Amino acid sequence: MSRLAATFEQLSKTGRKALIPFITAGDPSPDFTLPLMHAMVEAGADVIELGVPFSDPMADGPVIQRASERALDHKMSLRRVLAIATEFRKTNQQTPVVLMGYVNPIEAMGYEDFANAAQRAEIDGVLTVDLPPEEAEECVALLKVRDIDPIFLLAPNSTDERIKKMDAAGSGYLYYVSLKGVTGAGHLNTADVETKLKQIRANTRLPVAIGFGVKDAQTAKTVAGLGDGVVVGSALISKIEANLDNLERAKIEIVELLVAMRQAM
Amino acid sequence: MTEKYNMPDERGHFGPYGGMFVAETLIPPIQELNAAYQQYLNDPEFIAELDADLKHYVGRPSPLYHAERWSRELGGAQIYLKREDLNHTGAHKINNTIGQALLAKRMGKTRIIAETGAGQHGVATATVAARLGLECVIYMGAVDVVRQSLNVYRMKLLGATVVAVESGSKTLKDALNEALRDWVTNVDNTFYIIGTVAGPHPYPAMVRDFQAIIGREAKQQCQDQAGRLPDALVACVGGGSNAIGLFYPFIDDSSVKMIGVEAAGDGIETGRHSAPLCAGRPGVLHGNRTYLMEDDDGEIIETHSISAGLDYPGVGPEHAWLKDTGRAEYVNITDTEALEGFHALTRMEGIIPALESSHAMAYTMKLAPAMKKDEIIIVCLSGRGDKDMQTMAQREGIEL
Ligand SMILES: Cc1ncc(COP(=O)(O)O)c(C=O)c1O
């Protein structure tokens, strides 16, 4: 059983929902990421989504765009993200790490080389925003034989047919993008999410994490009532951006926010 | 060639290139667009409306002009210019925006968005939006807003909102990113008119089909004027829409050479250029797999060209395929050479070309002398140079 599957199974036994922070690796500098990952686990994170910065983050709002730019200014790359994940595993064998990003850095490395490198780094899941199942066959096959879960996105306009397709292609969990828009946008409509989750559940038995629009303890609580996991990204990265001159402060604020979310969930 | 060219496949693949690499929220609108496009492509009423607009509003057919003096001067092949510069709004871009706007109307969309580099596509989009009474938002890199300020003003006059994009390199690719972000946010009422043969399927095929009027006319006109097929076709390649528009109707005519001209900027060897087919490698950007300018880590690198319309790190996936199969050849022309092409056409034929098109002119100056006097080159004069007066003057140290 993959580390992700085991994590969600364990959580569901205790009736707990997964808290899944997203940070961009290397933001604002490479040496900040590893201690932040450990701190987030201590604050109650169950899974970590580690963003791989890309020069053209088409699905991201301004906050994560700027995070990518800061990381790229320090020459962060897929290889270096994998190196950070490898370091993380040396002292944490429990918490699943999911790489989240765009397909081109993976293409540049080569699908097979990437799958091998991800396996060596003990990566648990790979979420590629611009690689829908139609284009993902080769990549998915290479990941699955290495026990790495391919994570797919669902959107408010996904049909039954699409959800079934994601259920077949994906594993670990499905990521429901709760609103039409980019990361960090708008606020979510609880009733809409509730309705959509019913449709999703009818078409998959995979755990469903919900992201986009989770900003604070209150929204985390609401979303936790609807899905199996809560993803928070831009709200955390905003703390980094607000404290670029005092990163210790940034880390403290991120931890405080996660603790508040964890308690509220 | 025995088998007829039949690309892309139904999922939008040109061999390994093309496809549909987009975030999940964009899958439903892209499927909806593809269905509408497949339906109307063969709908006689739609075709009739499109043809009427192209004739009465755009001014088609555009002339195929035998540049006799220039041909004589160069001492080789006979050069014919396909005069897309004479279209309404001054470039080939409107062939495509007219078509996509008619689709948008059929699909009941009330809001149009587009990206633009040189501003020609933005102007062509704002123009059709004005005519159909649709809300229009144009994304343009902040760098391009400055160097193509005349076109920004035109778009505003036409009622469009022009958003200066400040992210990344602040040029065409970033405008495309921002337009995609808008689309994902407003999918229900918004139609995204992509300006070149890039983007996810069905855009590369759809934009090609709308631009193929260039080659269909040219083929007939060449037959009428010279009594035969041309020997070579030359067109500049940014995303590649004017080039594929000219090439496509000739693809099965294997005697016709097809040559795409990329922007070499300061020179390929300097790294400061916009020539992914000549000097890049395959990757995925903006919804399709194609040749890209990227670093070893797969990050897209900044491009350089004197012409904003060629300043793009990718290229339409069909060109990637035509390159790999050898059906088309891709060459490159530096900024300096393009300026020579610009001046040559202006002084020799009294036609001021766009800086984009000037790349095709400059290559023609190399190609024609190496060919026989009874051979024929058709060059796509994709746009007129009015928009570039500021850039030219600045480059030559003249205050306007
Ligand atoms: C006059 C002109 N020619 C060519 C281009 C390049 O586009 P494409 O390669 O799609 O024809 C542009 C783009 O702005 C243009 O304005």
Side-chain angles (χ1 to χ4, degrees):
Chain A
M1 190 188 290
S2 74
R3 201 181 271 119
L4 271 170
T7 299
F8 277 98
E9 190 179 279
Q10 187 58 34
L11 285 168
S12 94
K13 272 190 200 144
T14 56
R16 198 171 122 128
K17 301 300 173 72
L19 177 60
I20 311 178
F22 167 94
I23 54 167
T24 299
D27 171 33
S29 61
D31 51 1
F32 185 61
T33 303
L34 184 62
L36 180 59
M37 289 170 78
H38 288 305
M40 293 195 303
V41 172
E42 265 176 56
D46 300 292
V47 176
I48 290 178
E49 286 187 356
L50 202 51
V52 182
F54 181 50
S55 53
D56 293 81
M58 289 150 281
D60 285 300
V63 170
I64 296 180
Q65 285 173 44
R66 288 193 294 265
S68 287
E69 285 178 14
R70 285 192 294 270
L72 290 173
D73 281 346
H74 287 92
K75 299 258 174 296
M76 191 35 70
S77 65
L78 179 52
R79 266 170 230 287
R80 293 182 73 188
V81 177
L82 288 165
I84 291 173
T86 304
E87 281 304 306
F88 176 77
R89 260 304 156 257
K90 285 183 181 161
T91 49
N92 181 323
Q93 274 85 48
Q94 280 82 48
T95 312
V97 174
V98 172
L99 293 188
M100 180 162 180
Y102 296 81
V103 72
N104 199 49
I106 297 177
E107 288 249 342
M109 189 181 276
Y111 286 153
E112 187 153 12
D113 286 355
F114 167 70
N116 287 333
Q119 185 178 33
R120 281 195 300 274
E122 293 188 57
I123 294 295
D124 301 288
V126 175
L127 197 172
T128 316
V129 178
D130 54 349
L131 192 69
E134 287 82 354
E135 304 287 357
E137 278 167 33
E138 186 187 347
C139 193
V140 162
L142 288 164
L143 293 176
K144 280 191 169 168
V145 297
R146 289 166 178 77
D147 256 333
I148 300 172
D149 291 311
I151 317 283
F152 285 97
L153 297 172
L154 290 170
N157 50 1
S158 296
T159 58
D160 284 347
E161 190 198 340
R162 291 289 308 165
I163 301 168
K164 289 201 178 86
K165 195 169 250 182
M166 304 304 176
D167 175 67
S171 56
Y173 60 98
L174 291 174
Y175 183 137
Y176 177 56
V177 174
S178 71
L179 48 85
K180 292 174 190 159
V182 293
T183 50
H187 45 242
L188 80 188
N189 178 321
T190 313
D192 286 354
V193 177
E194 198 169 354
T195 310
K196 195 70 192 181
L197 258 287
K198 286 205 184 94
Q199 185 199 354
I200 293 172
R201 301 276 195 212
N203 289 291
T204 184
R205 288 167 61 190
L206 287 172
V208 181
I210 301 174
F212 284 40
V214 178
K215 290 178 158 47
D216 48 24
Q218 184 52 46
T219 43
K221 180 179 172 179
T222 308
V223 164
L226 303 171
D228 305 298
V230 177
V231 184
V232 54
S234 294
L236 303 180
I237 291 174
S238 296
K239 306 287 186 198
I240 296 178
E241 193 161 73
N243 294 288
L244 287 172
D245 54 351
N246 185 350
L247 291 177
E248 218 27 57
R249 175 89 235 134
K251 196 160 81 184
I252 291 168
E253 288 186 11
I254 287 172
V255 164
E256 282 171 0
L257 181 55
L258 288 175
V259 166
M261 287 179 163
R262 180 78 269 170
Q263 280 168 353
M265 281 159 64
Chain B
M1 206 173 285
T2 46
E3 233 172 276
K4 257 184 96 74
Y5 182 84
N6 184 25
M7 287 283 186
D9 68 15
E10 66 182 29
R11 277 163 53 191
H13 293 120
F14 302 87
Y17 303 110
M20 235 166 67
F21 294 84
V22 292
E24 192 54 29
T25 315
L26 290 181
I27 294 282
I30 280 170
Q31 287 174 337
E32 185 193 0
L33 171 64
N34 195 29
Y37 159 65
Q38 299 297 344
Q39 177 191 340
Y40 291 115
L41 190 65
N42 299 308
D43 175 56
E45 237 174 83
F46 181 84
I47 302 291
E49 191 175 346
L50 177 62
D51 286 348
D53 277 357
L54 289 172
K55 181 171 180 201
H56 301 293
Y57 189 70
V58 176
R60 304 205 71 91
S62 68
L64 183 72
Y65 166 69
H66 185 190
E68 286 184 69
R69 182 172 178 224
W70 199 32
S71 305
R72 207 171 333 122
E73 179 75 19
L74 291 170
Q78 300 308 305
I79 301 164
Y80 286 76
L81 302 174
K82 182 59 176 160
R83 298 291 307 273
E84 295 302 303
D85 61 319
L86 294 177
N87 293 339
H88 178 43
T89 69
H92 67 293
K93 297 286 180 187
I94 196 153
N95 301 329
N96 168 47
T97 60
I98 285 269
Q100 289 200 49
L102 286 184
L103 265 185
K105 203 174 75 172
R106 291 277 200 293
M107 292 170 70
K109 303 291 179 183
T110 56
R111 182 172 175 273
I112 299 284
I113 58 170
E115 85 294 339
T116 196
Q120 286 305 109
H121 174 59
V123 168
T125 302
T127 298
V128 296
R131 179 165 173 254
L132 296 176
L134 300 170
E135 183 190 344
C136 181
V137 179
I138 305 290
Y139 292 94
M140 190 169 186
V143 168
D144 294 336
V145 166
V146 173
R147 61 176 163 173
Q148 303 283 324
S149 58
L150 214 57
N151 272 342
V152 173
Y153 184 56
R154 286 169 87 195
M155 289 183 263
K156 287 182 178 165
L157 284 175
L158 289 159
T161 303
V162 180
V163 180
V165 178
E166 297 285 352
S167 57
S169 60
K170 306 181 178 38
T171 59
L172 183 52
K173 81 172 173 77
D174 310 284
L176 229 147
N177 290 337
E178 208 54 38
L180 285 168
R181 292 180 190 120
D182 179 314
W183 200 22
V184 99
T185 309
N186 301 294
V187 286
D188 295 331
N189 70 345
T190 297
F191 190 107
Y192 179 15
I193 300 189
I194 296 187
T196 189
V197 283
H201 180 63
Y203 283 101
M206 179 174 70
V207 176
R208 173 197 70 195
D209 290 346
F210 287 135
Q211 290 292 2
I213 183 91
I214 301 174
R216 281 200 305 275
E217 285 177 4
K219 197 171 184 177
Q220 184 63 48
Q221 290 164 322
C222 191
Q223 202 59 251
D224 294 346
Q225 294 177 34
R228 63 183 191 86
L229 286 172
D231 299 285
L233 307 174
V234 176
C236 68
V237 176
S241 67
N242 86 90
I244 205 76
L246 178 63
F247 295 173
Y248 185 58
F250 292 93
I251 280 191
D252 288 326
D253 301 306
S254 56
S255 68
V256 182
K257 278 182 72 171
M258 311 191 306
I259 304 159
V261 185
E262 294 195 302
D266 292 345
I268 298 286
E269 69 288 350
T270 66
R272 292 174 50 84
H273 59 83
S274 303
L277 287 167
C278 293
R281 60 173 182 159
V284 173
L285 180 69
H286 294 150
N288 67 87
R289 184 180 286 117
T290 187
Y291 280 82
L292 296 177
M293 293 187 41
E294 61 175 19
D295 66 13
D296 290 344
D297 296 321
E299 307 296 343
I300 306 305
I301 54 182
E302 281 192 28
T303 54
H304 296 273
S305 170
I306 188 169
S307 73
L310 303 184
D311 216 342
Y312 180 65
V315 61
E318 192 159 17
H319 288 292
W321 175 244
L322 293 177
K323 172 192 156 80
D324 282 13
T325 58
R327 179 61 190 96
E329 181 191 346
Y330 295 89
V331 297
N332 55 85
I333 283 293
T334 63
D335 287 353
T336 310
E337 291 171 320
L339 291 173
E340 285 167 22
F342 176 94
H343 287 301
L345 192 69
T346 302
R347 299 300 288 267
M348 207 58 70
E349 295 288 348
I351 299 171
I352 302 181
L355 283 173
E356 291 77 14
S357 324
S358 298
H359 288 73
M361 301 308 142
Y363 187 72
T364 301
M365 290 165 70
K366 295 186 178 180
L367 180 66
M371 288 171 67
K372 297 197 206 79
K373 285 197 172 121
D374 61 351
E375 289 185 308
I376 294 173
I377 306 174
I378 297 180
V379 191
C380 190
L381 177 42
S382 56
R384 64 179 188 226
D386 306 34
K387 70 181 175 61
D388 297 311
M389 291 301 101
Q390 221 140 18
T391 307
M392 288 302 297
Q394 205 170 35
R395 181 117 181 165
E396 310 202 325
I398 296 162
E399 190 116 16
L400 287 185

